[in-house]
Amino acid sequence: RIRVKLTLEEIAAGVDKKVKVRRKKQAQGVSYTTCSTCNGQGQVMRVTNTMLGRMQTAATCPTCQGSGQKISKKPKEADADGLVVTEETVTINIPSGVTEGIQLKVSGKGNDAPGNNSVPGDLLVVIEEVPHETLKREGINLHLDLYVSFSEAAIGVSKEIQTVNGKVKIKIDAGTHSGKILRLKGKGLPSIESYGTGDLMVHINVWTPQALDKAQRKFFQSMLTDENFVPNPSTSDKSFFDKVKDMFS
């Protein structure tokens, strides 16, 4: 079992990853003979006497451990099963939309089993998601906190933002309030079950000036009673709880 780290961009597109894997393979020159204890069956029959009579049960052969064969010749670098540890580069095809902790299986790239005509095991790959600098994942949806200045929120502006598919421009309307959520359809992550693609939620945060000079302070003081600066929410302006409800609906 190995762990593979993926960025959100790689998760969105799907990716082929080449990784070095240490696995056990049959050593060159190893040979096997049929186990004389079980005659190649891998099991031995045991008979026990009980109150109900004689009972016959099958058990794993203690000599060959169920393989039906035992080593007749092996090189000195091989272990007791005739296997040696090798390093191999394996290409893993990772589909889009995988999630943290999901396990993928690469057939035939696990350890070899001892014996002639044995079938190699599988390589298990556990996905680890690398945290993104600006985007937060929620299922197939993504969230982005976008900060705009007080002036930009008042007069409106176009902003370039980062998505998993590259940069896009969005429009911030004049008079935008802090807490507004812009939903960009199809800019999230694809579903691994092929149920479609999620959305990108852009959370607008209006940055209030922390320090004002004398002229700026005078300007805002003069606007304290201006009707355009007095809070006057309309019935169409949703509360914070309504916005959260819409986000999860």
Side-chain angles (χ1 to χ4, degrees):
R1 178 181 298 184
I2 62 170
R3 293 182 175 272
V4 174
K5 294 184 177 182
L6 298 179
T7 64
L8 280 181
E9 287 81 3
E10 290 173 325
I11 291 173
V15 66
D16 286 337
K17 283 280 189 180
K18 290 186 177 181
V19 296
K20 287 186 177 180
V21 176
R22 290 174 62 84
R23 55 188 292 248
K24 288 185 176 182
K25 299 189 71 174
Q26 280 195 18
Q28 292 291 328
V30 68
S31 60
Y32 299 87
T33 59
T34 301
C35 176
S36 57
T37 303
C38 64
N39 294 319
Q41 298 302 308
Q43 293 182 329
V44 292
M45 304 305 295
R46 291 178 178 172
V47 178
T48 55
N49 294 317
T50 69
M51 294 178 59
L52 301 175
R54 293 163 62 87
M55 294 189 64
Q56 186 172 279
T57 57
T60 301
C61 176
T63 303
C64 66
Q65 307 302 318
S67 67
Q69 299 175 335
K70 62 181 182 178
I71 294 176
S72 60
K73 184 178 71 172
K74 71 179 181 70
K76 61 180 181 180
E77 68 270 13
D79 63 13
D81 294 319
L83 305 175
V84 292
V85 177
T86 62
E87 188 172 77
E88 181 180 340
T89 299
V90 177
T91 300
I92 305 169
N93 177 255
I94 301 175
S96 60
V98 292
T99 56
E100 170 84 21
I102 195 173
Q103 283 194 162
L104 304 177
K105 183 176 72 174
V106 185
S107 299
K109 292 301 181 180
N111 293 325
D112 282 357
N116 295 323
N117 304 317
S118 60
V119 178
D122 300 328
L123 173 65
L124 297 179
V125 181
V126 181
I127 299 299
E128 287 188 4
E129 188 177 302
V130 178
H132 196 277
E133 187 177 348
T134 57
L135 299 172
K136 301 295 181 184
R137 181 176 186 176
E138 182 195 20
I140 60 175
N141 293 324
L142 295 173
H143 296 266
L144 170 69
D145 277 320
L146 179 63
Y147 287 86
V148 298
S149 69
F150 189 84
S151 301
E152 289 173 329
I155 65 176
V157 69
S158 291
K159 284 281 189 178
E160 189 175 71
I161 62 171
Q162 183 68 48
T163 75
V164 289
N165 306 117
K167 293 183 177 180
V168 298
K169 273 194 172 183
I170 61 172
K171 182 182 178 183
I172 310 296
D173 292 331
T176 293
H177 295 164
S178 192
K180 183 174 183 178
I181 300 173
L182 304 180
R183 190 179 196 122
L184 305 186
K185 290 283 188 181
K187 293 299 182 181
L189 297 172
S191 166
I192 194 171
E193 292 91 3
S194 302
Y195 291 151
T197 304
D199 303 329
L200 172 60
M201 316 291 186
V202 182
H203 301 258
I204 304 299
N205 298 283
V206 179
W207 185 261
T208 304
Q210 303 295 300
L212 300 173
D213 60 26
K214 188 178 294 186
Q216 291 167 338
R217 181 174 293 276
K218 184 177 180 180
F219 167 76
F220 282 112
Q221 284 177 337
S222 68
M223 293 295 109
L224 285 176
T225 56
D226 189 286
E227 62 178 10
N228 291 323
F229 279 74
V230 175
N232 184 27
S234 65
T235 55
S236 61
D237 291 329
K238 294 186 178 181
S239 69
F240 169 79
F241 297 104
D242 288 334
K243 292 173 182 175
V244 172
K245 183 179 178 181
D246 289 346
M247 187 175 66
F248 288 101
S249 63

